[in-house]
Each structure stands twice: as structure tokens, then as C-alpha cells.
Amino acid sequence: MTAEDSRYLPIGEHGLIGDLRTVALVGTNGTIDWYCCPRFDAPSVFASILDADQGGSFELAADTPARTKQFYFPDTNVLITRFFADDGVGEVQDFMPVADGSREADRHRLIRRVACVRGTLPFRVRVAPRFDYARQPHTVHSQGGQTLFESPSMSLALTSTVPLDGDGRDVWGRFKLHEGEYAVFALDRVGEGLAMRGCPIQEAEEEFAATVRFWRRWLSASKYRGRWREVVHRSALTLKLLTYAPTGGIVAAPTTSLPEQIHGGRNWDYRYVWIRDAAFCVYALLRLGFTEEAESFMGFLSTHVPLCSDCHTGPLQIMYGIDGRRELPEQELHHLEGYRGSAPVRVGNAAANQLQLDIYGALIDSIYLYDKWGQPISSDRWDELCTLVDWVCQNWDQPDEGIWETRGGRKNFVYSRLMCWVAIERAMRMASHRGLPADTPNWRRARDAIYREIMRRGWSSTLKAFIQHFDDDVLDASVLMMPLAKFVSPTDPKWLSTLEALGRELVSDSLVYRYDPEASPDGLQGVEGTFSICSFWYVEALARAGRLDDARLAFEKMLTYANHLGLYAEEIGHTGEQLGNFPQAITHLALISAAFNLDHALG
């Protein structure tokens, strides 16, 4: 790593805390280097993960050479960073109290509780906010243990139990703690009716206990008792952190522009709700017993995703804002250098305007699963679903941009056709099961036409495998969904041959590449790592095909690629490093699904 790169922690060297409205990333060095306020998609306050010099950060660490370790307080999202030095052991307890729907929820309080647990230890702190992605100036006013950071768009108040110095922009301090002593730092959003509020040591202790109780009470609803309870529950806790409580939407990831390849340019903003995640989300949450979260996500879809009658991409967009907004204009922030110099930094996402036909299958599959395991859907919801299915019957044969959001022109992707088949097939099941009115003859014709076309044009006699798009010889890991979606039997000879081909060409030590960009140009610069969601799909496909030893080994190997806390970014790099936005919801959803089904297969 170059001297310039050493300014940045590896992406995987972070933990996540949050309050169900926004999150903060805390590095193993004790620095908060990503925090948006007051919600996931708001401009950043701390963004040194995207520009070490200009982005802004909240440093808190031992002021002496020390080894560090990080872990979650058991069964919670309270993060502990420990410092092991010659003269003592200290720790920083980071958490965000989860307020109910009261006005206090708008405070987004971030508490950093410092303790010396053995010996004596010096600490240092530096709070350097940079509002609006480091575009807005701010002023600093300090008085009586409180510091007010004011920018044109927002004000934050810092309360501290140790004295701090400042220069009109940042504040900092050094202090020493003896065994059993604590110091507290609390950062609050203030203004707009929220007054400044202190946070004495006793109150911080009470908030800590209340936050621990909240997470343990929430997790106690889990019904999972399988072999991989700890990693499954960590995935569930992470998914809950990525949920925006006011609407029930789940963001794809809480970060933007963390690169899929260092200096590669594949940097995107994932702080939005993808329709594609819907089925995986509802499936995983219901399987674990979190019916309330599944219900909230279905509520987001019904309340905040209105059907569009005149949109060129069909009645649905592929993604929406956490409040349901459709407009997500993409722009580049040229003043930020990007993670380890990996420009551009982007906010917004132009892929919102793409045509991706697979989302209809994902959405209708989620409604089918919820109707089956949760609550029967309403008559109004059924009418909307019929509108979607009728549209799919008329448009399934259009070329589109596909699941991977390529920017190299539309193609006849097999996965898109597969999920159109899923959309119609699941709707037919619901109509039959509940006796609901449907244009069944037309639906059946379209469903069967899609099946025959995939079998005829989506199969390569050269590769002896199902392929990426019609009439070509390129493999794509998205076809791993074929047996998972019940399109093909997991022991069908054609499928087993496909599984062999994927294992040969796209799998590396259990890790799965999406496709080969050289064989199938995607209109983007650079290469990428393996896609973790595909790796978990591969595990599930192996298990369903009866290759249980292979599936279990692949799953155990995948667990070694998690970071120290059990979290996954979007991709895994060549030497096992986390790449892309972090942590990624759909990867953790796929982990839950793979663990559940592998458990079931192993008996």
C-alpha cells in the first residue's frame, strides 16, 4: 500500500451503528469516517472514507501505540473498539439510541462512551465535521462543555465530559483515564425545535443499557435455530440497521461510491430502495420470523411505489428513494478524491431510468411469498398485480439493461426472461390458490412462450449451459436463480451441466464472478471482484442439486471472506478484500437464504 493509500482503512475494517434512519461507519482505528444526517441519503457530515483530507471525521483513539480489536456487544448493534497498549486496555462503545416516533427521533444522537478497563490509558479526540459532502462552511461556538457546529443547512451539537480546544472549525482534546473511569461524547442534531442537550456519564450509561435492550428484544423474535445462528443473526441485525423506519424501505447499502475496483470508476450510490431486493428481503425476513419487518417493507411497496401509466420503463422503476421519490439525478462530486483516489464520487443514480424487466418477477414473487406466509393481500393490491402481469405479458420480449445494470446497450438477457416467467407463474398460483379473478388463458400463453424461448435461445449447445443473453455463448451467474426460482428442476441434466460450466468458468475458491466483461462488454471501464450474492446463490444451487458436501464447503469458505464482524461489501477482491458499497443488504439476504436452505438439506 502506498503512503497515500495508508490514509484510508480497508473498506472491511469498519463496523456499522445506526438508529433506523441513518448509520455511521466506525473504523477499527476508532474513527467515524462516514455519517450522513438526518437520513441515509442526506449529504454527509463525515466522509473521510471518500476523501481522507477534506471529507471530515470524528477521531477517538488511544493516544499511544496500541493494537485494536472490534466486536459487537453480543446480540446487538452496539459496537466496541478495544485498544491494547503497554500501560492499559481501553475501549470505545459506539451506538445510536433508537428513539420511537417522538420528536427525539429527529435528534439522531450518536454516543461515544470511552472507558479504561485495565491500567491507565491516554486518549485523543478530534471532531471535524464537513457539511454537505464538504461543500458548506460552518462556524463553531463552544460553551460549558458543549460545542455547536453551524452550517447553512444543519446544526450539530457536541457534548463532552472532557475539556476540548478549537480553532473555529474543528475541536480536539487529550485526556487520560484510569481503570474504571469513563468519558462521554454525544453528537446531536439541533435546531428546528430540538434544543441542545447534555449527556452526562450516568445518562450515557442508561442510553447504553436501553440500546442493548432494544436490539436484544428485537432479535428475540428470530425463529432460526440452525447451524449458523451467529452469522445469520448478524445478517439480520445488519438488515434491520439498513431499514428506514418511517417508510419501511431497506437501502441496498448505506454508502456511496466505494469502488468495485480501486481506480476503476465503477462507483455508484446505493442509498436507495431497489425493487429487486423485495423478494429476497421478504423471503429472508419471513423465514427468520420477522413478520413485522416484512409487513413494513410490503407497506413501503404499496404506499410509496405507485404504478406509472406513461413511463417509458414500464409501470415500475428499478429503484426509489427511501421516501418513495422517483427522481434520483446522478451527479459527480469532483472536489472529493474518492476512496484511495478512486474517483468519481457519485450521488444519485442514473440507473433508476433503466429498463430492467426482472424487477417484475422479484416484486410479484415477494407479494406471493407474503400472501403465503404473512397476510393475504388486499383486493386493491391484487388489481395492481394484475395490471403488472398484463404489462409483463405484453412486454417480456423487449431487450433491457438486465440485472447488472450494464451501460452497454440493451440485450435479450436470459435472467430478465426468467423473472418475467416468475412474475406470471406466481400470479397464476395466487389466482388458483385464492380463487382470484385473472386473465388466466392469456397469462398461461405468455408464461409458456417465455419457457420455450429460454429453452430454445437461452441454451448454448456449445457451452452445454444456459447463458447470459439469447443467441450467444457467454456465461452469467444470474442463471443460478433458475432452480431457486423453480423454473428448472435442480437435478435436470441441462441444469447440472450449467452448474458444471459455471463452476469451471466463473467460480474461484467458492467465490463467483457475475460474468466475464471481456467476453461480454458492459459499457463500463475496469474490472471487478467476485459478487458475494452470486457466491451464496451458488451454495444454494449446489445444495438443491444434492451436492451437499460441496455446498457446505463453499458456504464455510464464504464465511471466511466476511470482515471481522461478519459483514460483507458487494464484492470480494483478488486477495480477499471487501470491495464496493458496504455493507450490502442483498448479500446478507442471500446469506440467510443459503444458510436456511443448506440447513434444511443437511437435516
Side-chain angles (χ1 to χ4, degrees):
M1 185 180 281
T2 66
E4 183 166 302
D5 285 348
S6 67
R7 297 177 302 142
Y8 294 89
L9 278 180
I11 291 169
E13 290 289 311
H14 290 88
L16 191 72
I17 60 171
D19 65 354
L20 307 185
R21 285 160 174 80
T22 187
V23 298
L25 286 187
V26 186
T28 51
N29 59 0
T31 296
I32 294 176
D33 55 16
W34 179 253
Y35 175 59
C36 297
C37 189
R39 47 190 240 176
F40 293 106
D41 57 355
S44 63
V45 174
F46 303 128
S48 56
I49 199 168
L50 295 178
D51 192 311
D53 298 328
Q54 296 189 74
S57 64
F58 189 154
E59 300 173 25
L60 182 56
D63 195 24
T64 185
R67 294 178 296 111
T68 65
K69 290 188 177 179
Q70 204 174 50
F71 71 102
Y72 279 110
F73 201 78
D75 294 336
T76 76
N77 280 315
V78 174
L79 188 67
I80 312 241
T81 307
R82 309 201 92 198
F83 298 88
F84 300 84
D86 290 343
D87 295 326
V89 179
E91 65 183 36
V92 177
Q93 303 163 355
D94 283 309
F95 59 98
M96 295 181 71
V98 182
D100 56 19
S102 69
R103 192 77 180 89
E104 280 299 298
D106 295 330
R107 193 176 288 279
H108 306 291
R109 170 161 273 198
L110 199 164
I111 295 178
R112 313 201 72 186
R113 191 168 173 243
V114 194
C116 181
V117 296
R118 299 184 72 182
T120 302
L121 210 59
F123 289 90
R124 68 178 184 277
V125 61
R126 186 180 194 94
V127 185
R130 300 292 182 264
F131 294 91
D132 188 27
Y133 305 113
R135 292 182 296 193
Q136 286 186 4
H138 67 271
T139 58
V140 177
H141 305 283
S142 297
Q143 186 177 358
Q146 293 189 314
T147 303
L148 182 65
F149 299 96
E150 285 188 289
S151 78
S153 61
M154 192 193 322
S155 296
L156 294 177
L158 175 73
T159 63
S160 166
T161 59
V162 300
L164 300 174
D165 296 317
D167 61 2
R169 194 182 193 205
D170 305 337
V171 295
W172 60 85
R174 282 182 159 83
F175 56 98
K176 183 176 285 190
L177 297 179
H178 301 283
E179 189 167 321
E181 290 183 335
Y182 286 86
V184 170
F185 302 89
L187 191 66
D188 291 351
R189 177 175 174 241
V190 294
E192 300 177 27
L194 288 168
M196 290 178 70
R197 182 178 138 201
C199 188
I201 288 173
Q202 179 62 34
E203 183 178 336
E205 187 174 341
E206 291 166 2
E207 293 271 32
F208 177 90
T211 305
V212 166
R213 279 196 306 274
F214 171 87
W215 288 113
R216 288 184 167 171
R217 187 168 58 246
W218 180 81
L219 190 62
S220 68
S222 170
K223 296 176 181 174
Y224 182 78
R225 299 292 181 269
R227 293 165 176 80
W228 296 285
R229 190 171 174 186
E230 193 169 324
V231 292
V232 166
H233 280 173
R234 178 49 52 199
S235 290
L237 283 161
T238 303
L239 290 169
K240 183 66 172 172
L241 273 182
L242 300 182
T243 303
Y244 184 62
T247 64
I250 297 178
V251 294
T255 56
T256 180
S257 301
L258 294 183
E260 297 174 19
Q261 178 198 13
I262 304 302
H263 308 307
R266 294 171 183 248
N267 313 328
W268 315 109
D269 192 347
Y270 275 15
R271 298 172 297 159
Y272 307 111
V273 184
W274 261 255
I275 291 293
R276 178 174 300 112
D277 296 8
F280 301 104
C281 171
V282 172
Y283 177 85
L285 292 172
L286 287 174
R287 277 299 195 212
L288 296 183
F290 296 109
T291 51
E292 191 176 312
E293 281 66 33
E295 196 171 308
S296 295
F297 193 82
M298 294 306 294
F300 172 84
L301 296 173
S302 59
T303 305
H304 297 284
V305 182
L307 302 187
C308 179
S309 57
D310 58 352
C311 297
H312 69 282
T313 56
L316 292 176
Q317 280 189 183
I318 70 164
M319 72 180 91
Y320 295 84
I322 54 175
D323 52 4
R325 72 187 188 282
R326 301 179 71 97
E327 299 299 320
L328 307 173
E330 186 177 297
Q331 59 172 311
E332 296 183 3
L333 304 182
H334 298 290
H335 65 288
L336 297 178
E337 71 172 14
Y339 175 78
R340 286 174 56 186
S342 300
V345 171
R346 294 185 173 96
V347 295
N349 200 314
N353 299 316
Q354 288 190 353
L355 174 64
Q356 295 177 22
L357 293 169
D358 65 282
I359 63 172
Y360 294 92
L363 177 64
I364 292 173
D365 196 26
S366 73
I367 295 171
Y368 163 76
L369 292 168
Y370 185 71
D371 184 78
K372 180 179 177 183
W373 293 330
Q375 297 287 331
I377 65 165
S378 68
S379 54
D380 286 346
R381 197 73 179 137
W382 176 252
D383 290 341
E384 289 180 0
L385 188 146
C386 289
T387 300
L388 292 178
V389 177
D390 290 340
W391 187 88
V392 170
C393 288
Q394 294 168 357
N395 293 277
W396 65 266
D397 56 352
Q398 290 187 51
D400 71 343
E401 273 91 3
I403 178 175
W404 306 129
E405 295 169 10
T406 57
R407 301 194 179 190
R410 294 180 176 180
K411 295 174 181 172
N412 293 306
F413 287 99
V414 171
Y415 182 79
S416 299
R417 300 293 189 271
L418 164 71
M419 295 308 287
C420 286
W421 179 90
V422 167
I424 302 168
E425 198 274 339
R426 299 301 190 267
M428 289 175 66
R429 281 197 205 187
M430 290 176 66
S432 173
H433 175 66
R434 291 195 38 204
L436 295 167
D439 187 2
T440 307
N442 184 41
W443 290 5
R444 180 177 287 111
R445 276 193 298 274
R447 181 198 67 179
D448 295 351
I450 297 170
Y451 180 90
R452 292 193 184 97
E453 183 137 333
I454 290 175
M455 289 299 184
R456 183 169 60 89
R457 298 177 63 194
W459 170 262
S460 165
S461 54
T462 306
L463 297 178
K464 298 286 189 290
F466 291 106
I467 48 178
Q468 185 180 59
H469 42 76
F470 287 169
D471 308 321
D472 210 332
D473 289 320
V474 177
L475 292 171
D476 191 304
S478 63
V479 300
L480 285 163
M481 278 297 293
M482 281 183 157
L484 278 55
K486 297 180 168 55
F487 175 85
V488 67
S489 161
T491 56
D492 185 294
K494 277 189 168 181
W495 174 249
L496 294 177
S497 175
T498 301
L499 198 54
E500 287 285 344
L502 292 170
R504 220 171 29 245
E505 300 296 329
L506 294 182
V507 178
S508 170
D509 187 47
S510 85
L511 300 172
V512 182
Y513 290 93
R514 296 189 295 181
Y515 53 89
D516 180 354
E518 289 188 13
S520 178
D522 54 16
L524 300 167
Q525 294 295 313
V527 296
E528 59 185 26
T530 56
F531 250 64
S532 294
I533 180 178
C534 299
S535 303
F536 287 119
W537 287 352
Y538 183 59
V539 168
E540 201 167 329
L542 289 171
R544 289 174 187 252
R547 293 171 55 182
L548 293 184
D549 287 345
D550 292 341
R552 186 165 190 176
L553 181 60
F555 188 72
E556 294 288 358
K557 282 183 175 181
M558 268 306 292
L559 298 185
T560 71
Y561 286 107
N563 86 337
H564 59 288
L565 298 168
L567 305 181
Y568 291 87
E570 184 173 32
E571 301 182 20
I572 305 292
H574 189 63
T575 56
E577 71 275 19
Q578 304 279 342
L579 290 174
N581 285 309
F582 173 88
Q584 195 200 29
I586 203 167
T587 298
H588 287 277
L589 291 164
L591 181 155
I592 292 169
S593 180
F596 187 92
N597 285 289
L598 185 53
D599 257 329
H600 183 72
L602 289 168

